[in-house]
């Protein structure tokens, strides 16, 4: 099991259900029942997904009377974005080189 926080965040983001839950929470806090609504899975399964997201620091759960609304915690996403950003220049440079190569090939064929 991954122990560094970035690996835990990427592990949590690897699941499409968890990404959809984060997308919903980007619109504002929601209860477990509200988060479960669009999915064809059980409430215990949703709870497991929420625990993974909570361990990754991507959500928090509050207490308001009998409700425990979930909220998006975006800071771990910033760290993941910064990590990926380091590779953006590499990919952009690679695509620019590919574009140049394809233009050279097209000129050679008269197109």
């Amino acid at each position: 099991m991954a122990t560094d926080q970035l690996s835990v965040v990427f592990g949590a983001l690897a699941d499409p259900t968890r990404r959809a839950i984060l997308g919903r929470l980007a619109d504002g806090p929601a209860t477990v029942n509200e988060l479960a609504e669009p999915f064809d899975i059980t409430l215990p399964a949703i709870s497991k997904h929420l625990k993974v997201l909570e361990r990754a620091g991507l959500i928090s759960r509050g207490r308001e009377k009998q409700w425990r609304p979930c909220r998006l915690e975006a800071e771990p996403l910033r760290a993941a974005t910064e990590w990926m950003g380091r590779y953006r220049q590499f990919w952009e440079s690679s695509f620019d080189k590919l574009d140049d190569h394809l233009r050279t090939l097209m000129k050679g064929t008269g197109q």
Side-chain angles (χ1 to χ4, degrees):
M1 178 173 221
T3 56
D4 69 283
Q5 188 60 25
L6 191 58
S7 294
V8 174
V9 168
F10 279 122
L13 295 173
D15 185 89
T17 300
R18 291 192 287 266
R19 290 192 305 271
I21 289 169
L22 291 176
R24 165 53 188 87
L25 291 175
D27 294 333
T31 65
V32 173
N33 285 335
E34 290 169 336
L35 292 171
E37 208 170 279
F39 302 104
D40 190 25
I41 58 178
T42 65
L43 280 177
I46 288 291
S47 290
K48 286 182 182 181
H49 283 297
L50 294 175
K51 286 178 187 172
V52 171
L53 292 169
E54 196 169 20
R55 271 192 301 259
L58 293 165
I59 68 166
S60 62
R61 295 200 230 189
R63 282 225 185 261
E64 293 177 14
K65 301 179 185 172
Q66 73 272 26
W67 306 105
R68 292 196 69 202
C70 299
R71 289 180 174 76
L72 177 66
E73 299 294 337
E75 187 58 36
L77 292 173
R78 181 189 325 239
T81 300
E82 287 173 1
W83 182 86
M84 289 184 294
R86 290 186 264 169
Y87 298 95
R88 182 179 185 150
Q89 183 177 359
F90 166 77
W91 285 109
E92 287 176 353
S93 173
S94 296
F95 288 133
D96 289 344
K97 289 176 187 174
L98 177 61
D99 191 43
D100 291 343
H101 180 68
L102 291 174
R103 283 192 184 128
T104 301
L105 290 175
M106 296 299 277
K107 285 181 185 175
T109 62
Q111 292 183 359

